[in-house]
Amino acid sequence: MSTNSIAVKWEEKELEKISLAEGVSVAKLRRLLEAGRVIIPRNAKRAAEAANRDIVLKAIGEGLSTKVNVNVGTSKDYVDIEEEVRKAKTALKYGADTIMDLSTGGDLDEIRRTILREVDVPVGTVPIYQAALEKAGLRAVVDMSSDDMFNAVRKHAEDGIDFVTIHSGVNLNSLARLRRSERILDVVSRGGAFLVAWMIHNERENPFYEEYDYLLEIAKEYELTLSLGDGMRPGCISDASDRAKFMEVITLGELVKLAREEGVQAIVEGPGHVPLDEIEASVKAIKNITDFAPLYLLGPIVTDIAPGYDHFVSAIGGAVAGMYGADFLCMVSPSEHLALPSVNDIKEGTIVTRIAAHVADLVKDEQRERARLLDDEMAHARKNLDWKTQFEIAMNGEDAQRIRNGRPPSESDACSICGDLCAIKMVKEFLKK
Amino acid sequence: MSTNSIAVKWEEKELEKISLAEGVSVAKLRRLLEAGRVIIPRNAKRAAEAANRDIVLKAIGEGLSTKVNVNVGTSKDYVDIEEEVRKAKTALKYGADTIMDLSTGGDLDEIRRTILREVDVPVGTVPIYQAALEKAGLRAVVDMSSDDMFNAVRKHAEDGIDFVTIHSGVNLNSLARLRRSERILDVVSRGGAFLVAWMIHNERENPFYEEYDYLLEIAKEYELTLSLGDGMRPGCISDASDRAKFMEVITLGELVKLAREEGVQAIVEGPGHVPLDEIEASVKAIKNITDFAPLYLLGPIVTDIAPGYDHFVSAIGGAVAGMYGADFLCMVSPSEHLALPSVNDIKEGTIVTRIAAHVADLVKDEQRERARLLDDEMAHARKNLDWKTQFEIAMNGEDAQRIRNGRPPSESDACSICGDLCAIKMVKEFLKK
């Protein structure tokens, strides 16, 4: 494990808190942070704020529990800051570790600043959305200057944003592979699409690749974590694991190395739509190619034909990806591919993604012992027909209780499935071990 | 692949239908049927009925598409035949391949016969429930005679039931292993619990094991398929993959062999609660130990702490198990561990299980090519922003459309997430491949 000069210096008491939360020693945490295999996204401005506010630090990466990000944000057609704040708070209630504001409608500065004020976990954004929107309209995306792009990053960093998605791997090289590919859906990443359009129209290299050193300067100044976006992620099962995608991963690996050399924390974003049997190879290959940078996955979505259920579909992929080493899962909502999510969509998406993360933690070497304590406690509560404890441990105890109460058993401490024929009760009586 | 004397003789035109549905040649189907690696559950009585009724044959096993069973049925506290019929029809609407009637309340004969009349796919039951219930009450379960048990099986077969779960592997041998185990939850299978209680109380071997040859006689007479139940299935993550479970699997393997020698079709039921990283070994070991009998899985449930979401928790396990060779997934409803399911629970459970089955088919050698046609069609419809086709292909197009319509885009053929910033539209315009 080669070490690098991570610029951020963590205080002992900060690392002790994380050590306690993760069950990993402070010494090990320091080693992993120095190697860039673990990152703690926190803007220097938010660090300064920490004296007056209890902002929770989240460590993401190798050997740690699987983290969950939840995206919120307005769109052109739906702008309601209060609703977006409710979404963010709902996500936190159900266990989100970080929030990303992906707003593309309304007063973007106000929304971002409100979210930062209201949310006490790391907050991320995709600054190019704002750069593009300030040019207003479809064609105008290509009229952004490289200054527009970097200024948006600086503005977000200045506000205190902890991590930003930057599609530096969408460069002329990966575009060339895309052109030679036989993809059905070409590019489905919004930021990726902006940059593909921009490069083609302007016949120029992506500024976030060409002037990556300038990006690192900004990141260093604000202790901003870079989430290197996967603009070439496949948008359907048929397009998965192709050369355009892996070309981008190779670039991202090189960019991770440069970031580490400058002491900038970096994570890598991954696909996308991937069939179940390609997830292991995909995760392991990306981890290797990027020198084991923390891996942040969108999905993977393991079938295309279940709109309305894409939170489930992604969580199947996320659980399996987590088992093979993914560190950070991005919630996909039930309205993915269909509409801007509602508060309830955010709730259901968050719960299901948290389940996937926990399922992965149950089988991750360093986490399984701790994760299983909860499952064992639930098993004991079930054996004792102790419903109160069951609802306390449950991922969503409120709704579990509502289901049980909706069809209560008439005269039994069991449930209305089996009533007096409860296997647990019967075996307890006869087996008396 | 050794062949056996399967008594049931399938007509060429019946196998041709299945061949078409599965994309497997008739010759290969015959070989797999003769080897017992594929089964087609159909009671001789239902075969006789087929002249007047269109009962759909379903083939289950190696190389075929992953099938889904949905359990319906009353309980002591909730007896409404019409509701159970609605549950069964809802399950069929959303893609269930078979229905099991697990009723334990009301007039069991009437319910079973109604379901058989209303349902045009294979129907299964667990006859020991009726045998036990006719003795009424908890203690009385142990007062069943072995005649009571076999008579219930005969009665169900006589009615035309196509497949029955029989816990023949819950014998003194596996009970001995259970006693030496350190399980938290001992036995959670209802039928398994009945037989454990019965064996302990009566100090006798399980009649379904001891008089297995008599069971085979009944099965042969009615061309009844045996689904060899996993009474020792683990009830929590901590209890997974232990000696009691594998002792039962060994017995089931021997019973599969005996069934095949008598020309009786047999499938094997599998766990249960299994952590994600033990599923591959579990599925492959069971398949090997049981000479590749079709494997019917309940779950596997991959965490204990998400009551209310166990349909989804099971679908994670089911998709992964399917990838490694499970043939038949039993729907688990959102109200599992909490209450008797409602019609809507059945709907959601069925859809999610069908998604898991399809996710598995996308990566099963013999099915992937056909399964991917659907996903590719969806990808093309997305590229063309052809919403009508998207809703036609979707697992649940009605609700997908409802989600889109709930937050429609104002002036765009895209959706309200991105509106005019649609990646697909932008790349289409600029990439023009």
Side-chain angles (χ1 to χ4, degrees):
Chain A
M1 202 150 64
S2 71
T3 60
N4 296 281
S5 58
I6 290 297
V8 189
K9 298 294 171 221
W10 300 100
E11 288 179 29
E12 190 73 9
K13 70 168 192 225
E14 289 174 334
L15 295 188
E16 277 168 6
K17 262 193 189 170
I18 291 173
S19 158
L20 202 67
E22 301 285 344
V24 170
S25 73
V26 170
K28 190 174 175 187
L29 261 181
R30 281 205 188 279
R31 275 203 309 279
L32 290 164
L33 282 162
E34 277 162 19
R37 293 187 178 206
V38 163
I39 61 102
I40 303 173
R42 186 176 62 176
N43 187 309
K45 298 243 163 179
R46 299 265 273 182
E49 269 191 276
N52 309 314
R53 261 185 92 169
D54 194 20
I55 295 180
V56 184
L57 289 182
K58 297 282 182 173
I60 301 166
E62 192 173 297
L64 308 184
S65 62
T66 309
K67 303 298 185 300
V68 168
N69 174 71
V70 171
N71 294 335
V72 302
T74 58
S75 72
K76 180 186 163 208
D77 292 322
Y78 297 92
V79 181
D80 179 343
I81 297 190
E82 276 177 32
E83 185 176 355
E84 298 310 323
V85 169
R86 274 207 309 283
K87 286 184 193 171
K89 295 207 162 167
T90 301
L92 294 179
K93 173 177 172 185
Y94 291 103
D97 295 291
T98 64
I99 299 288
M100 285 188 85
D101 169 26
L102 305 191
S103 291
T104 57
D107 182 338
L108 301 188
D109 290 337
E110 190 194 345
I111 300 166
R112 183 176 61 256
R113 288 164 192 161
T114 307
I115 298 278
L116 272 168
R117 207 164 48 234
E118 297 283 343
V119 164
D120 292 330
V121 296
V123 174
T125 56
V126 187
I128 198 172
Y129 292 173
Q130 185 164 21
L133 278 157
E134 291 186 344
K135 292 289 166 181
L138 179 62
R139 297 269 340 167
V141 161
V142 299
D143 295 333
M144 283 183 287
S145 68
S146 68
D147 276 351
D148 292 335
M149 300 186 202
F150 286 106
N151 287 343
V153 177
R154 183 177 289 280
K155 186 195 239 187
H156 288 214
E158 183 66 37
D159 280 349
I161 287 296
D162 301 295
F163 62 108
V164 288
T165 292
I166 307 279
H167 302 87
S168 296
V170 179
N171 59 11
L172 291 173
N173 191 357
S174 53
L175 178 58
R177 269 74 207 180
L178 180 70
R179 285 187 187 277
R180 285 176 213 158
S181 80
E182 302 200 355
R183 284 191 172 189
I184 299 176
L185 269 165
D186 300 318
V187 173
V188 296
S189 153
R190 190 158 47 178
F194 290 179
L195 288 163
V196 162
W198 194 94
M199 288 190 293
I200 293 173
H201 181 82
N202 296 292
E203 297 177 350
R204 268 190 58 195
E205 182 56 280
N206 170 3
F208 284 138
Y209 179 72
E210 199 170 44
E211 300 167 66
Y212 185 69
D213 52 348
Y214 180 44
L215 183 68
L216 290 180
E217 265 179 45
I218 301 174
K220 204 166 174 174
E221 182 180 345
Y222 295 94
E223 296 176 11
L224 180 66
T225 296
L226 297 183
S227 184
L228 296 166
D230 58 339
M232 292 292 168
R233 70 172 177 267
C236 62
I237 292 297
S238 173
D239 294 349
S241 312
D242 70 349
R243 288 184 289 273
K245 174 63 212 150
F246 276 107
M247 187 67 248
E248 182 182 38
V249 174
I250 290 170
T251 304
L252 297 185
E254 293 170 344
L255 299 179
V256 163
K257 188 162 185 279
L258 293 175
R260 287 176 180 175
E261 285 167 4
E262 289 301 314
V264 169
Q265 298 192 113
I267 65 182
V268 167
E269 298 184 10
H273 292 239
V274 183
L276 197 57
D277 65 343
E278 291 175 24
I279 292 177
E280 179 180 2
S282 190
V283 166
K284 289 181 176 172
I286 296 174
K287 274 278 192 175
N288 272 288
I289 294 171
T290 63
D291 297 332
F292 301 90
L295 178 57
Y296 179 23
L297 284 191
L298 317 172
I301 286 181
V302 290
T303 174
D304 302 325
I305 66 166
Y309 295 83
D310 278 327
H311 55 324
F312 281 168
V313 169
S314 299
I316 295 176
V320 172
M323 170 163 73
Y324 292 121
D327 305 290
F328 192 21
L329 305 179
C330 187
M331 184 273 302
V332 169
S333 101
S335 60
E336 180 75 11
H337 298 112
L338 296 169
L340 198 74
S342 67
V343 173
N344 195 57
D345 289 338
I346 294 289
K347 172 185 163 186
E348 293 303 323
T350 303
I351 292 167
V352 161
T353 313
R354 278 292 309 139
I355 292 172
H358 179 71
V359 166
D361 288 345
L362 284 172
V363 302
K364 279 188 172 179
D365 282 344
E366 304 88 343
Q367 291 296 324
R368 70 171 68 209
E369 208 174 319
R370 287 154 45 87
R372 288 187 184 198
L373 293 176
L374 266 180
D375 289 60
D376 289 354
E377 206 186 333
M378 178 64 90
H380 283 291
R382 284 192 170 138
K383 177 165 196 165
N384 299 328
L385 300 169
D386 170 357
W387 294 91
K388 188 165 164 285
T389 304
Q390 289 180 47
F391 296 134
E392 278 164 15
I393 299 166
M395 280 275 179
N396 174 4
E398 257 170 62
D399 288 329
Q401 188 152 16
R402 191 184 46 72
I403 293 172
R404 178 169 152 83
N405 294 346
R407 295 198 155 198
S410 60
E411 50 177 51
S412 162
D413 47 359
C415 80
S416 63
I417 305 177
C418 301
D420 287 341
L421 297 173
C422 177
I424 291 170
K425 289 182 75 164
M426 195 170 311
V427 171
K428 228 195 237 176
E429 179 172 346
F430 284 92
L431 198 59
K432 290 192 188 81
K433 284 205 305 186
Chain B
M1 203 149 64
S2 71
T3 60
N4 296 277
S5 57
I6 291 295
V8 190
K9 298 293 170 221
W10 300 100
E11 289 177 29
E12 191 71 11
K13 68 168 192 219
E14 290 173 335
L15 295 189
E16 277 167 6
K17 262 193 190 172
I18 290 173
S19 158
L20 202 66
E22 301 285 344
V24 170
S25 73
V26 171
K28 189 174 176 188
L29 262 180
R30 281 207 189 277
R31 276 202 310 279
L32 290 164
L33 282 162
E34 277 160 19
R37 292 185 179 208
V38 163
I39 60 103
I40 304 174
R42 185 176 63 177
N43 188 307
K45 299 242 165 183
R46 299 263 275 180
E49 266 190 279
N52 309 313
R53 260 186 93 171
D54 193 21
I55 296 179
V56 185
L57 289 182
K58 296 283 181 172
I60 301 166
E62 193 172 298
L64 309 184
S65 63
T66 309
K67 302 299 183 301
V68 168
N69 174 72
V70 171
N71 295 334
V72 303
T74 59
S75 71
K76 182 185 160 208
D77 292 323
Y78 296 91
V79 181
D80 179 343
I81 298 189
E82 276 176 33
E83 184 176 357
E84 298 311 322
V85 170
R86 273 206 309 283
K87 285 183 194 172
K89 295 206 161 169
T90 300
L92 295 179
K93 174 178 173 186
Y94 291 103
D97 295 290
T98 64
I99 299 289
M100 287 188 83
D101 169 27
L102 305 191
S103 290
T104 58
D107 183 339
L108 301 188
D109 290 337
E110 191 195 343
I111 300 166
R112 184 176 59 257
R113 289 165 192 160
T114 306
I115 298 279
L116 272 168
R117 209 164 46 233
E118 297 282 344
V119 164
D120 292 330
V121 297
V123 175
T125 58
V126 188
I128 200 172
Y129 293 172
Q130 184 164 23
L133 279 157
E134 290 186 344
K135 292 288 169 183
L138 180 63
R139 298 274 330 169
V141 162
V142 300
D143 295 333
M144 284 182 285
S145 68
S146 67
D147 277 350
D148 293 334
M149 299 187 204
F150 287 106
N151 288 342
V153 176
R154 183 177 288 281
K155 188 195 236 184
H156 287 214
E158 183 66 36
D159 281 349
I161 287 296
D162 301 295
F163 63 106
V164 288
T165 293
I166 307 279
H167 302 87
S168 295
V170 180
N171 59 11
L172 293 172
N173 192 356
S174 52
L175 178 58
R177 269 75 206 180
L178 180 71
R179 285 187 186 279
R180 285 175 214 158
S181 79
E182 302 199 356
R183 283 192 173 188
I184 298 176
L185 270 165
D186 300 318
V187 174
V188 295
S189 152
R190 192 156 50 173
F194 290 179
L195 288 162
V196 162
W198 194 95
M199 288 190 294
I200 293 172
H201 181 80
N202 295 293
E203 297 178 350
R204 267 190 58 195
E205 181 57 277
N206 170 4
F208 285 138
Y209 179 72
E210 199 169 45
E211 301 167 65
Y212 185 68
D213 51 349
Y214 180 42
L215 183 67
L216 291 180
E217 267 178 46
I218 301 174
K220 204 166 175 173
E221 183 180 344
Y222 295 94
E223 297 176 7
L224 181 65
T225 297
L226 297 182
S227 183
L228 296 167
D230 57 338
M232 292 295 171
R233 70 171 177 267
C236 61
I237 292 297
S238 172
D239 294 350
S241 313
D242 71 348
R243 288 183 289 274
K245 173 62 213 151
F246 276 107
M247 186 67 248
E248 183 183 39
V249 174
I250 290 169
T251 304
L252 297 186
E254 292 170 345
L255 298 178
V256 164
K257 189 162 184 283
L258 293 175
R260 288 176 179 176
E261 284 167 6
E262 289 302 312
V264 169
Q265 299 191 113
I267 65 182
V268 167
E269 297 182 11
H273 292 239
V274 183
L276 196 57
D277 64 343
E278 291 175 23
I279 293 177
E280 179 180 3
S282 190
V283 166
K284 289 182 175 172
I286 297 174
K287 274 276 189 175
N288 272 288
I289 294 172
T290 63
D291 297 331
F292 301 91
L295 179 56
Y296 179 22
L297 284 191
L298 316 171
I301 286 180
V302 289
T303 174
D304 302 326
I305 65 166
Y309 294 83
D310 279 326
H311 55 323
F312 161 58
V313 169
S314 300
I316 297 180
V320 172
M323 169 164 72
Y324 292 121
D327 306 290
F328 193 21
L329 305 179
C330 188
M331 184 272 305
V332 169
S333 100
S335 60
E336 179 76 12
H337 298 112
L338 297 169
L340 199 72
S342 67
V343 173
N344 194 58
D345 290 338
I346 296 289
K347 172 186 163 185
E348 293 302 324
T350 304
I351 291 167
V352 163
T353 314
R354 278 291 309 137
I355 291 172
H358 178 72
V359 166
D361 287 345
L362 284 173
V363 302
K364 280 187 172 180
D365 282 344
E366 304 88 343
Q367 292 296 325
R368 68 170 72 208
E369 208 174 319
R370 287 153 45 86
R372 289 188 183 197
L373 293 177
L374 266 180
D375 289 61
D376 289 354
E377 207 185 332
M378 178 64 91
H380 282 291
R382 285 193 169 138
K383 177 165 194 165
N384 299 327
L385 300 169
D386 170 356
W387 293 92
K388 189 165 164 284
T389 304
Q390 291 182 44
F391 297 135
E392 278 164 15
I393 300 166
M395 281 275 180
N396 175 4
E398 260 170 60
D399 288 328
Q401 189 153 16
R402 191 184 46 70
I403 293 172
R404 177 167 153 84
N405 293 346
R407 295 199 155 195
S410 60
E411 49 178 53
S412 164
D413 47 359
C415 81
S416 64
I417 304 175
C418 302
D420 288 341
L421 297 173
C422 177
I424 291 171
K425 290 181 72 162
M426 195 171 311
V427 170
K428 230 196 241 175
E429 179 172 344
F430 285 93
L431 199 58
K432 292 195 189 79
K433 282 207 305 185

